[in-house]
Amino acid sequence: MAVPVDETSAVARARDAAARDAWAEAYVLLRDADRHPTAALDAADLDLLADASWWTGHVDESVTARLRAHAGYVAAGDHRGAGQVAWWLHFEYRCLGRPAAAAGWLHRSRHHLEGEPDCPEQCLIAWTDSEEAQEHRDPEAALAAARRMERLALDSGSPDLIALGRQAHAAVLLANGHRAEGLALLDDAMCAVTAGELSGMFTGWLFCLALTQCMEAADLGRAVEWTDAAMAWCEVPWSQHVRAPDTESRPAPPGPAPGAPGGPPGAAAESPYPVPAPAPAPTPDAVTDNPFRGLCRIHHVEVLDLRGAWELAEAEAARVCHEVPVDSLDVAAEAYYAAGEIRRRQGRLDDAATAYAHAHELGRIPQPGLALLRLTQGKADAAVTGLKLALACRGDQAHDLLGRARLLAARTEVALAVADLDDAAEAVAELEALPGEAPLLGAVADTARGALDLARHEPAAVRPLRRALACWLELRVPYEAAQVRMLLAAADRAAGDEEAARLELMAARAAFERLGALPDARRAAALLTARRRRTLPGGLTAREAEVLRLVAEGGTNRDVARALVISEHTVARHLNNIFAKLDVTSRTAATAYAYAHGMAGAPA
């Protein structure tokens, strides 16, 4: 016979558990107390049950409990309590992809609070006002709302609201180009986060918001520091009672399928492209991880990728898909995209295409990675078109500086590959005009400028390339540094400095090998080997050398065909043979090879 539940003691223990962020314990206690026939939870405890349900992954139960809490506050005439719960319902419905319901509850929240004197609950309304003003490109209104939020938060004395208010103010400043002032406010807010002064919900919020802003603003230093702090916070004490990931209901992780190339040996093969689907609600006794873990881990993946820890980054990307809440599948899309980027640079082109397809299915435009993959596959037209559409879709460059910079850098690379120097020049000019003072953005712009100047045969190409290399090395971003070394080798060779070119190629090859970027490592090795040969490099025939020279000097297939009095089809066949012999995958790489070997500028 079951032991009767003591509702009073159970609720008291649940409140204590929630205060300790022991949400699984609080959820079970409140759920059982709520089911007991002799008593019902009051509005405040129903609100607490909603929080505990959200933390433990019972999203539908969270909404249901909060609806009941709202009704309880309304019945008691508590407009502040009803207004706050209505705002949380707005937030939850928005996360669940139900904008009409979210808008309705936001209207109710405003209605409950509009007649009240200044109070802490109005902070959340002011935050929403600031975000909506930014979306409508009204920076003055956004700033006014953020300042009102800060004032209300300071009056309340709540560390949670004060930190969130400063973050909201920082977001407006950063979006409007006030980088130094915005980052100073963000640093202030993050002090409270990293010092453990905030509740679990606000700690998770601030980590997610700040990390996103740092990556979009291309502030790699802060992103590294706060990502490490976020992952440390996510790991304890949440992992004391962890249920196994629900692999049947989560999106498939971005790792290769068992039995597929790169998967566990000997495992049974299965489809590498299962359809991602939201996870159903866990069973009542299931205990979940901290739901912020997957949200923070995607930023960890981005940092690891930049720093060259590709194996760990891909493993972390797989974990993201198991850990993100069911209402945050856009984060899983980012994980798939990150995995695709790693695979593309490793030469695992089919696996990369699969990952990009997963990202696209979940709503993430897989650019610029997909365009660079198509370029590698010899589909230059698809690369050009994909980048044009992606750049048109990302119209607000101030929102995500790093994202736009990456698109423009890829546009430069693709334009140079198809010998469209005018388009490359436009992309470089826009890159150099991006606002902000982040070293990462400067390194991207200098790399693109150097590549363009090299294609124009300008001796000054070495200057931006040297600046870019110094910055990539200082930021500890090894892949981009190695790519710049390849361009520098071509520039040094064109200037007649064979020794400098050899040193750059050796350093680049070593970096590519450490990273696992095998196609690039083979290209660097081939260039080094060819330098020691007295015969025509790469095993090229005389005709192939002529084709390569004309391509390196900016000729299209039609130009080459006209100059050599052959068909365009024959030119394309020669190019395929050249790519195979030189172990390169693009016209840009072949051009760099030609200049490095003195095959451009004069007949071979």
Side-chain angles (χ1 to χ4, degrees):
M1 179 177 181
V3 178
V5 176
D6 182 340
E7 295 88 352
T8 303
S9 64
V11 171
R13 283 185 285 136
R15 292 170 183 165
D16 176 70
R20 294 182 281 108
D21 286 335
W23 292 107
E25 180 184 345
Y27 168 74
V28 172
L29 289 167
L30 288 169
R31 177 203 61 184
D32 291 345
D34 189 46
R35 290 176 177 175
H36 200 272
T38 61
L41 298 179
D42 64 17
D45 290 323
L46 284 168
D47 204 6
L48 192 62
L49 173 59
D51 288 342
S53 299
W54 182 86
W55 277 98
T56 52
H58 302 75
V59 181
D60 291 340
E61 290 182 46
S62 175
V63 172
T64 299
R66 220 174 296 276
L67 288 168
R68 293 170 59 201
H70 176 265
Y73 282 123
V74 170
D78 185 347
H79 290 291
R80 286 174 56 180
Q84 178 164 290
V85 170
W87 187 91
W88 280 103
L89 283 165
H90 146 74
F91 175 80
E92 289 192 279
Y93 277 124
R94 187 178 66 178
C95 291
L96 289 168
R98 296 182 58 184
W105 282 103
L106 179 60
H107 178 77
R108 281 199 176 189
S109 180
R110 295 185 192 278
H111 177 72
H112 284 305
L113 296 173
E114 64 186 359
E116 297 294 314
D118 287 353
C119 58
E121 291 79 7
Q122 292 170 348
C123 281
L124 298 175
I125 295 291
W127 186 27
T128 302
D129 290 341
S130 180
E131 290 191 325
E132 289 183 345
Q134 288 190 75
E135 290 173 3
H136 290 96
R137 303 179 186 276
D138 189 345
E140 292 184 4
L143 186 59
R147 286 173 173 165
R148 170 172 164 75
M149 181 185 180
E150 269 197 297
R151 180 178 59 78
L152 290 168
L154 288 168
D155 290 344
S156 76
S158 164
D160 284 345
L161 293 175
I162 291 170
L164 187 61
R166 286 174 179 158
Q167 186 281 328
H169 191 177
V172 176
L173 292 171
L174 288 170
N176 290 284
H178 303 290
R179 183 181 180 87
E181 189 180 354
L183 289 174
L185 269 177
L186 193 58
D187 287 343
D188 188 309
M190 293 306 292
C191 281
V193 175
T194 55
E197 298 171 1
L198 309 185
S199 68
M201 174 62 78
F202 283 78
T203 296
W205 255 359
L206 266 294
F207 269 132
C208 285
L209 292 168
L211 289 172
T212 299
Q213 287 170 339
C214 285
M215 292 306 297
E216 290 178 348
D219 193 324
L220 185 56
R222 283 179 172 84
V224 170
E225 182 177 343
W226 291 342
T227 297
D228 290 343
M231 294 313 302
W233 173 74
C234 285
E235 292 300 330
V236 290
W238 316 97
S239 58
Q240 293 175 354
H241 303 286
V242 180
R243 72 179 171 91
D246 184 356
T247 56
E248 294 183 356
S249 58
R250 289 288 184 183
E270 58 184 51
S271 171
Y273 189 17
V275 177
T283 60
D285 294 325
V287 180
T288 64
D289 277 336
N290 176 348
F292 284 106
R293 179 176 297 195
L295 304 177
C296 292
R297 195 180 300 281
I298 189 59
H299 299 293
H300 193 215
V301 171
E302 292 179 299
V303 168
L304 291 170
D305 182 15
L306 281 168
R307 287 294 176 87
W310 289 354
E311 183 176 354
L312 180 56
E314 190 170 5
E316 290 284 270
R319 293 180 66 183
V320 168
C321 294
H322 290 311
E323 293 175 349
V324 292
V326 296
D327 56 355
S328 300
L329 294 182
D330 56 321
V331 178
E334 290 296 333
Y336 281 118
Y337 180 78
E341 288 290 86
I342 294 167
R343 295 169 183 180
R344 175 178 61 80
R345 288 171 292 179
Q346 290 177 331
R348 299 156 54 195
L349 302 188
D350 290 342
D351 289 341
T354 297
Y356 290 143
H358 277 301
H360 183 267
E361 184 171 355
L362 290 174
R364 206 274 194 206
I365 298 175
Q367 297 291 5
L370 183 59
L372 295 175
L373 174 65
R374 295 300 180 230
L375 185 63
T376 299
Q377 295 170 329
K379 302 174 182 177
D381 289 345
V384 171
T385 302
L387 285 173
K388 283 183 178 178
L389 290 174
L391 282 162
C393 290
R394 196 185 292 264
D396 184 6
Q397 67 179 29
H399 175 66
D400 183 2
L401 289 173
L402 182 58
R404 187 158 190 89
R406 284 170 164 165
L407 285 169
L408 290 169
R411 178 185 169 191
T412 304
E413 182 175 345
V414 170
L416 291 176
V418 298
D420 188 346
L421 297 188
D422 289 340
D423 191 56
E426 286 184 15
V428 171
E430 187 176 344
L431 256 177
E432 293 174 332
L434 287 179
E437 303 171 358
L440 186 60
L441 293 178
V444 174
D446 280 337
T447 301
R449 167 59 64 186
L452 175 61
D453 288 350
L454 183 61
R456 288 171 167 172
H457 316 301
E458 295 181 7
V462 72
R463 295 174 186 170
L465 292 175
R466 288 290 178 198
R467 288 198 304 268
L469 178 60
C471 194
W472 290 125
L473 291 175
E474 183 178 353
L475 291 169
R476 291 188 289 166
V477 180
Y479 182 75
E480 281 72 10
Q483 290 282 27
V484 172
R485 288 190 185 278
M486 296 294 286
L487 293 170
L488 274 170
D492 290 338
R493 177 67 179 80
D497 192 342
E498 295 285 352
E499 180 63 17
R502 184 180 66 83
L503 290 173
E504 296 294 0
L505 287 172
M506 289 175 64
R509 181 182 64 178
F512 289 140
E513 289 175 346
R514 285 193 299 269
L515 289 165
L518 299 183
D520 291 301
R522 287 193 294 265
R523 179 162 57 97
L527 289 171
L528 280 167
T529 301
R531 284 183 192 286
R532 295 192 292 268
R533 295 176 182 166
R534 297 296 182 185
T535 58
L536 203 60
L540 299 177
T541 66
R543 175 62 85 181
E544 288 165 354
E546 286 181 305
V547 170
L548 177 57
R549 175 177 61 81
L550 292 169
V551 167
E553 292 175 357
T556 64
N557 283 16
R558 179 173 296 178
D559 295 333
V560 175
R562 187 181 300 114
L564 299 180
V565 196
I566 56 178
S567 70
E568 289 186 47
H569 175 76
T570 302
V571 173
R573 179 169 54 80
H574 282 313
L575 277 175
N576 285 333
N577 292 336
I578 291 167
F579 287 2
K581 288 182 178 181
L582 302 185
D583 198 20
V584 299
T585 54
S586 70
R587 296 172 81 104
T588 300
T591 296
Y593 185 97
Y595 277 101
H597 290 79
M599 299 176 67

